[in-house]
């Protein structure tokens, strides 16, 4: 009887999904948005609704059908945008890498090592700060997926040690906070994936490259202040109970977790080589052979190379790296399916056939040109924050930078200052599944965080970080302009 009731509830959710989709075929399209654009927008709303009300995979699978039915892309094109992307392959391989690190005990070692530090024991907020800082640094300097997945594993192990469970407030807030730091990392360093594109757009519009020193001087303080702000929110707004963390002692840690076995040494070496190969291209001239080789390989090629090397190594007569077994046990396919759909949705929303981009350009420019300089900066910050949580981050920057650069001289604002503000705020995106690379993997992590928790903690956190980005730009960066 209970199973029958659950089945009926799920069918009602599917019905709600289809009703939202149907509105896109009924409602008129405000020009220059096209009928296709209206259909795409309501399918987007429907799939977000589906992901919100159920942990099942059907919203993702139905969207594979619904988006092509709108006419914005063919099924083949939709699949290529998600399943055919480098991000999909790298994410699957990253799950295999994280499972390998867990299997040999590296994740447990890192959690145990962190908890065994004297300056952390009895000081829960220092532990939480180190978790957030580690996520921000690894995501900024290495890769957002590796950073988030690795630090999440550390959080999971700490949760087990202090005898908490998934969905308790501590692991929930840590999982969300790590993803938030990952989102901010996309603009932290000039060589970050988003930053490279955004700075190139700025250079084309301004006629000269941006100052990289000033860029880092702006982005890093925003990131560090955001960590402190999140700790304040956890303590005073979200009501995080840190009592279990106060009881952390060396006796709670399994001594075996801190043993540096041969397998762990090999795993740490492999992880170090992987990180080094990702960082080396940013330190070399594009004319060098090493740069060209690593650039051609990309992140997918680098991780495949590391896996190939690991597969040749044996410890005590057994292969240390069994790809098939690691993939079977380490890849959460429901999460992967949801993620690849999210990757494809962004391209559908901003497809020229929808008219959404044209609609935004047509309506934003007249609004912004009538404002005073201070109000203009506030308005452009708010608009960036809202749009970036629904559209592709770099598309939002490409949409708004031409307006900012053209109007900055008239308003007496240095174009670099406000452009950097837009770039950072554009990565403060966590409130919808398509908002950023961080939210792409946060929303599917339904074992450790609920969708309602993301909204509950995300709205306040993202708003506070936006205020921090604005304040640092207006009060601190004004020194340079």
């Amino acid at each position: 009887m209970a199973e029958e009731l659950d089945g009926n509830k799920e069918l009602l959710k599917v019905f709600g999904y289809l009703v939202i989709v149907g509105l896109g075929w009924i409602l008129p399209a405000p020009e220059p948005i096209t009928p296709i654009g209206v259909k795409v927008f309501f399918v987007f709303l429907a799939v977000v609704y589906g992901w919100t009300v159920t942990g099942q995979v059907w919203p993702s699978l139905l969207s594979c059908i619904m988006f092509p039915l709108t006419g914005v892309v063919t099924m083949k094109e939709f699949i290529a945008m998600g399943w055919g992307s480098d991000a999909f392959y790298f994410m699957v391989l990253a799950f295999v890498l994280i499972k390998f690190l867990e299997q040999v005990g590296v994740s447990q070692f890192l959690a145990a090592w962190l908890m065994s530090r004297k300056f952390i024991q009895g000081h829960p907020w220092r532990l939480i700060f180190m978790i957030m800082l580690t996520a921000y640094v690894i995501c900024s300097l290495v890769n957002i997926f590796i950073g988030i997945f690795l630090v999440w594993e550390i959080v999971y192990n700490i949760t087990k040690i202090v005898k908490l469970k998934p969905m308790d407030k501590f692991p929930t807030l840590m999982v969300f906070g790590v993803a938030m730091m990952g989102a901010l990392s996309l603009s932290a360093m000039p060589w970050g994936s988003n930053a490279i594109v955004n700075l190139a757009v700025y250079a084309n519009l301004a006629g000269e490259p941006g100052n990289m020193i000033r860029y880092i001087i702006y982005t890093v303080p925003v990131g560090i202040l955001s960590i402190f702000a999140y700790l304040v929110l956890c303590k005073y707004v979200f009501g995080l109970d840190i009592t279990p963390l106060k009881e952390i002692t060396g006796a709670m840690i399994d001594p075996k977790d801190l043993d540096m076995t041969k397998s762990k040494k090999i795993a740490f070496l492999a992880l170090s080589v992987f990180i080094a190969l990702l960082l080396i291209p940013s330190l070399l001239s594009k004319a060098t052979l090493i740069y060209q080789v690593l650039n051609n390989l990309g992140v997918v090629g680098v991780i495949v190379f590391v896996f190939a090397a690991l597969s040749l190594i044996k410890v005590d007569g057994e292969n240390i790296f069994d790809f098939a077994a690691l993939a079977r046990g380490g890849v959460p396919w429901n999460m992967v399916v949801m993620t690849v759909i999210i990757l494809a949705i962004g391209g559908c929303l901003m497809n020229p056939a929808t008219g959404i981009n044209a609609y935004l350009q047509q309506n934003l420019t007249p609004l912004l040109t009538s404002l005073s300089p201070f109000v203009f900066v506030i308005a452009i910050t708010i608009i960036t924050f809202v749009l970036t949580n629904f559209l592709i981050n770099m598309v939002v920057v490409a949409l708004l930078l031409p307006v900012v650069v053209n109007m900055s001289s008239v308003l007496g604002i240095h174009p670099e200052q406000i452009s950097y503000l837009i770039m950072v705020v554009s990565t403060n995106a966590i409130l919808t599944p398509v908002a950023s690379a961080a939210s792409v993997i946060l929303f599917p992590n339904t074992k450790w965080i609920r969708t309602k928790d993301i909204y509950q903690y995300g709205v306040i956190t993202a708003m506070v970080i936006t205020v921090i980005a604005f304040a640092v730009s207006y009060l601190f960066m004004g020194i340079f302009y």
Side-chain angles (χ1 to χ4, degrees):
M1 185 66 179
E3 292 181 0
E4 184 178 341
L5 287 174
D6 289 340
N8 291 335
K9 288 180 181 179
E10 207 65 24
L11 288 175
L12 286 174
K13 294 173 185 177
V14 175
F15 178 74
Y17 173 98
L18 295 175
V19 168
I20 297 173
V21 169
L23 292 175
W25 269 258
I26 298 172
L27 296 177
E31 293 187 355
I33 296 179
T34 65
I36 288 177
V38 175
K39 294 175 184 176
V40 167
F41 180 71
F42 276 93
V43 173
F44 166 69
L45 291 182
V47 73
V48 171
Y49 158 79
W51 287 331
T52 303
V53 299
T54 184
Q56 302 297 319
V57 74
W58 62 259
S60 301
L61 298 178
L62 278 180
S63 69
C64 285
I65 300 171
M66 293 301 174
F67 277 104
L69 287 178
T70 65
V72 67
V73 290
T74 65
M75 176 63 83
K76 184 177 181 180
E77 291 169 336
F78 186 81
I79 291 174
M81 292 162 65
W83 298 93
S85 66
D86 283 349
F88 161 67
Y89 290 102
F90 180 71
M91 184 179 64
V92 171
L93 295 174
F95 276 123
V96 174
L97 175 61
I98 297 301
K99 184 64 178 178
F100 168 68
L101 296 176
E102 177 190 351
Q103 179 177 284
V104 299
V106 168
S107 301
Q108 297 88 328
F109 175 88
L110 293 174
W113 183 89
L114 186 61
M115 294 174 64
S116 66
R117 301 304 92 188
K118 295 297 184 183
F119 80 97
I120 282 178
Q121 291 181 5
H123 300 281
W125 294 111
R126 294 181 186 177
L127 172 63
I128 294 171
F129 175 81
M130 290 302 298
I131 291 172
M132 297 299 119
L133 181 64
T134 302
Y136 183 71
V137 170
I138 296 177
C139 291
S140 298
L141 298 180
V142 183
N143 178 273
I144 182 172
F145 291 135
I146 292 297
I148 290 177
F149 291 147
L150 182 58
V151 179
W152 274 354
E153 281 295 327
I154 295 174
V155 170
Y156 303 159
N157 280 285
I158 293 175
T159 300
K160 294 174 184 176
I161 291 173
V162 297
K163 295 180 171 54
L164 294 174
K165 59 184 184 300
M167 302 300 178
D168 284 340
K169 187 168 284 189
F170 169 71
T172 296
L173 284 169
M174 294 305 98
V175 165
F176 173 79
V178 167
M180 190 74 252
M181 294 307 110
L184 289 176
S185 76
L186 293 170
S187 61
M189 293 293 130
W191 59 79
S193 56
N194 283 39
I196 290 174
V197 177
N198 294 339
L199 290 168
V201 172
Y202 171 81
N204 290 335
L205 292 170
E208 60 180 3
N211 185 293
M212 295 299 98
I213 300 298
R214 286 199 292 262
Y215 182 85
I216 294 174
I217 288 175
Y218 172 56
T219 59
V220 172
V222 170
I224 300 301
L225 288 173
S226 296
I227 294 176
F228 282 111
Y230 187 65
L231 266 63
V232 171
L233 288 173
C234 286
K235 183 174 183 178
Y236 295 106
V237 180
F238 303 146
L240 175 61
D241 181 10
I242 58 170
T243 303
L245 302 177
K246 288 182 179 179
E247 300 171 359
I248 292 177
T249 63
M252 299 176 67
I253 302 169
D254 187 343
K256 293 181 180 178
D257 289 340
L258 290 172
D259 288 344
M260 186 55 70
T261 63
K262 187 175 181 180
S263 295
K264 288 179 186 177
K265 291 178 182 178
I266 294 171
F268 270 116
L269 177 61
L271 183 61
S272 301
V273 170
F274 171 68
I275 292 173
L277 292 178
L278 289 184
L279 293 178
I280 285 173
S282 64
L283 305 175
L284 298 177
S285 166
K286 293 183 179 180
T288 61
L289 178 62
I290 296 177
Y291 174 89
Q292 293 173 10
V293 170
L294 293 176
N295 188 58
N296 288 337
L297 285 177
V299 291
V300 175
V302 168
I303 199 169
V304 168
F305 168 76
V306 172
F307 284 179
L310 284 171
S311 66
L312 299 174
I313 299 173
K314 291 188 176 184
V315 174
D316 298 328
E318 295 185 3
N319 289 328
I320 191 173
F321 187 84
D322 185 341
F323 180 85
L326 292 168
R328 281 195 301 270
V331 181
W333 285 106
N334 276 6
M335 181 178 180
V336 170
V337 171
M338 182 176 174
T339 302
V340 296
I341 299 305
I342 293 170
L343 292 172
I345 288 175
C348 291
L349 284 171
M350 299 313 296
N351 190 300
T354 65
I356 293 174
N357 197 4
Y359 178 83
L360 293 173
Q361 289 180 331
Q362 176 180 296
N363 290 277
L364 284 180
T365 302
L367 171 66
L368 294 172
T369 52
S370 61
L371 303 176
S372 66
F374 184 73
V375 177
F376 171 81
V377 176
I378 293 177
I380 202 72
T381 302
I382 294 173
I383 290 170
T384 302
F385 172 66
V386 172
L387 291 181
T388 197
N389 276 286
F390 293 91
L391 306 177
I392 298 172
N393 310 147
M394 289 176 284
V395 171
V396 173
V397 174
L399 176 69
L400 296 178
L401 278 193
V403 178
V404 167
V405 172
N406 290 333
M407 291 187 60
S408 58
S409 58
V410 177
L411 296 172
I413 305 171
H414 197 288
E416 190 178 77
Q417 180 181 6
I418 192 168
S419 295
Y420 289 174
L421 170 62
I422 290 174
M423 292 177 195
V424 170
V425 174
S426 73
T427 56
N428 182 21
I430 205 77
L431 301 181
T432 65
V434 298
S436 66
S439 64
V440 161
I441 57 178
L442 175 63
F443 275 82
N445 192 5
T446 52
K447 180 180 178 180
W448 288 89
I449 188 168
R450 293 174 288 256
T451 301
K452 68 176 184 178
D453 294 327
I454 299 174
Y455 295 136
Q456 179 183 349
Y457 304 132
V459 172
I460 298 174
T461 303
M463 290 175 64
V464 169
I465 292 175
T466 299
V467 172
I468 290 172
F470 175 84
V472 173
S473 176
Y474 193 80
L475 299 175
F476 177 64
M477 291 303 290
I479 297 172
F480 299 101
Y481 303 106

